[in-house]
Amino acid sequence: MDAVVSDRALREIYLPAFEAVVREADPWSVMASYNKINGTYASQNPWLLTELLKHEWGFKGVVVSDWGATHSTAPAVNAGLDLEMPGPPANFGEKLKAAVAAGEVKPGQIDENARRIVRLIVRSGAIERGSPRSAAATPPHNYGVAKTAAEEAIVLLKNSGLLPLDPRIRSLAVIGPNADVVRIQGGGSSAVVPFETRTPLQALREALPGTRIAYEKGVDNEETPPGADVRLFSPGPDRAETGLAGTYYATADASGSPTKTERVTSFLKRISGNIAGPQVTGYSALRWQGMFWPRISGSYEFSVRGTGNARVTLDGKTVLDKATKVVPDNRDVLGFPIPRRTITLELEAGRGYPIRIDYATGQTPYEYLSFGVREPRPSLDAAVAAAKGADAAIVIVGSSSTTEGEGYDRATLALPGEQDRLVEAVTAANPRTVVVINAGAAVTMPWHDRVPAIVDMWLPGEGGATALADILLGKTNPSGRLPVTFPARSEDDLTDLRSAKSAYSEGLLVGYRGFAARGVKPLFPFGHGLSYTSFTWSGFTAPARVTAGKPIKLRLTVRNTGARSGREVVQAYVAPASPGTGDPPLALRGFTTLSLAPGARRTVTITLDPRAFSAWDEAAKAWRVRPGRYRLMVGASAADIRAVRDIEVEAAVGNPQP
């Protein structure tokens, strides 16, 4: 697609985060995306890769293409693309040698590209080590970092006194399609296999050993059979381990000695390459086998989606192969239409079924295999009954395994499936209901006014389930804030990026700026987040007058007036007294976080640099401080402003600019 966006919107909205990372963190690599920006592919955009990134921002690392996102040879290299991925090269390699020989690429440009790659090799320590790093298990420190990150990100959206739950609670109903699954990241090539995971249900049972916990799924949120749950399988009949026994072969008919064996705990294989043959995948055929253990009796859906040929054998019978009818699938993988075959079988709980999946790769440019299982339809009535019989209920809803991933987007902000109906039914059955949102972005909540407590755990990484349990039970005080606006309705978000040429016509009025400009009240505003303690703010000071081009300091005293230690986030917004055409009515220009014990107070300082009073001058291609009157605001969100001061920004002699 082609992102058609003004220079001012690029500079003021979309580029600042990248600029901050490059200038402050000195990253080692940056990836050029698939799409065009104003008509030019990112991977061959000299303004983006060289003028802005390397020269203006001083980036010293390597620019790498997204996989298959290189569209040319000389234009890409000359624009500043250092490395084409994946290999073997489609546009570099011999084509690049020819371009140099023809004078289309100067040797000095090659030196520059190569110098950056050598610098990356040296930085990474690969020369000293001689081989890549590997890890057999996650160190406790790493898991602690993951858990802390999740704790700081989880947002308490609403709380009418129900949270935190008493750790001595006698009975608890844990309900929902995301309660007993690991939903910690989006799908696609960014997905990784974590070292250690728990589902929210497992984490709550560990945290509440003396509590009677009833679990019911209630409804299904999966559009297609999800990736098979590893807990339903064992390599052997003793169930000492989960997963299946995997064997890989160099031959397509699985003859000869295996090239590799492993215990399979993830039933997804994906290889992207210009040649996805045995030299890339490492095998031409694979076999996964062991035992399948149904948890409940009923109809099970088995699904295989792959670029090659698969055969599934259950209890000694072939139940799925290439003769099985292909069913429609709304989810392409990076634009590749990959067939899915699905069968339904009646199975009996408590019995082990021998299972084997044989698969021959398709040797296609993109190699993909996924094996899925959908358990029998859950009971909404059983979920309601569990909620009625418990002291409190926790309903965990959100994304399915295919809601958020690479190569497609959501068509609506509504929760998939009948999850809204589940929340309403459980809340009606038990007024002490907490709803937990497990999704990577905003969702609509038509039931929000009838639920006493709402928590957003996002897609939280491997420490997320334990972090959620600690927050629900008060071991950790929530402190996260929303980095986006949650609309009350899908139609309140006016952004439309469905066409191949997508005009960013809202300009600067994106997100909370647009909601404020249109006077539309969101469900939860940008910057919103609650705590189990309380804070008071006082003594807000700011200069009444400042010379253009100079930073200013805002000061404020914060006191923890509650009974728990907690973290507060002070946000500073700036608004022009007389906004020009397209100017946002307010914009976040700074923030600070502080931790306070009960009764403690601290004076914090937020420094606003000249950019806070600047706009990008498209004609001059430069930042320009705009003298005039501004309103300085500090608040707990874009809609919760606690104190206001006006300031006059005066023109400086010589008009120095940021």
Side-chain angles (χ1 to χ4, degrees), residues 153-160 163 434-439 441-445 447-448 451-458 471-472 478-487 523-532 637:
I154 291 172
V155 182
L156 179 60
L157 294 173
K158 180 181 178 180
N159 188 23
S160 300
L163 291 177
V434 181
V435 176
V436 176
I437 306 297
N438 179 200
V443 299
T444 52
M445 307 176 198
W447 33 259
H448 73 94
V451 174
I454 306 173
V455 175
D456 194 332
M457 70 179 293
W458 305 104
I471 282 177
L472 292 175
S479 61
R481 301 293 187 270
L482 288 183
V484 294
T485 302
F486 274 40
L523 177 63
F524 295 109
F526 173 86
H528 172 73
L530 304 177
S531 171
Y532 294 153
S637 78

Side-chain angles (χ1 to χ4, degrees), residues 32 50 62 100 131 140 187 200 255 257 332 336 358 370 381 388 436 474 490 554 558 570 587 591 658:
T50 295
V62 169
V100 174
S131 62
S255 61
S257 300
D332 283 354
F336 293 90
D358 291 284
S370 64
D381 291 341
K388 283 183 179 179
V436 176
S490 285
L554 314 181
V558 180
V570 180
F591 67 92

Side-chain angles (χ1 to χ4, degrees), residues 64-154:
V64 57
S65 76
D66 207 334
W67 270 225
T70 306
H71 302 276
S72 64
T73 302
V77 173
N78 291 333
L81 183 68
D82 302 308
L83 180 62
E84 177 191 14
M85 288 300 290
N91 293 283
F92 286 14
E94 293 301 322
K95 289 183 180 180
L96 182 51
K97 286 183 181 180
V100 174
E104 297 172 359
V105 178
K106 295 181 179 179
Q109 179 67 56
I110 298 297
D111 289 342
E112 166 65 12
N113 300 123
R115 184 179 297 111
R116 289 175 176 272
I117 293 172
V118 171
R119 182 184 296 128
L120 176 62
I121 294 170
V122 173
R123 275 177 153 183
S124 71
I127 293 176
E128 290 83 356
R129 289 199 311 271
S131 62
R133 293 182 186 271
S134 63
T138 180
H141 168 75
N142 291 353
Y143 185 81
V145 170
K147 179 175 178 289
T148 299
E151 289 172 346
E152 294 183 358
I154 291 172

Side-chain angles (χ1 to χ4, degrees), residues 274-349:
N274 297 317
I275 302 175
Q279 70 272 34
V280 176
T281 60
Y283 54 90
S284 290
L286 62 81
R287 177 172 294 155
W288 295 338
Q289 60 185 341
M291 301 293 292
F292 177 68
W293 304 90
R295 287 190 281 206
I296 53 179
S297 298
S299 297
Y300 283 76
E301 286 184 72
F302 288 77
S303 166
V304 173
R305 190 179 188 199
T307 45
N309 290 321
R311 183 174 71 253
V312 178
T313 304
L314 189 75
D315 206 18
K317 300 176 183 178
T318 297
V319 295
L320 183 151
D321 59 17
K322 62 181 180 181
T324 305
K325 183 181 177 181
V326 174
V327 295
D329 195 328
N330 295 329
R331 294 287 185 253
D332 283 354
V333 179
L334 296 179
F336 293 90
I338 300 175
R340 180 189 294 276
R341 292 176 168 85
T342 302
I343 50 97
T344 301
L345 300 170
E346 292 292 326
L347 301 178
E348 196 179 312

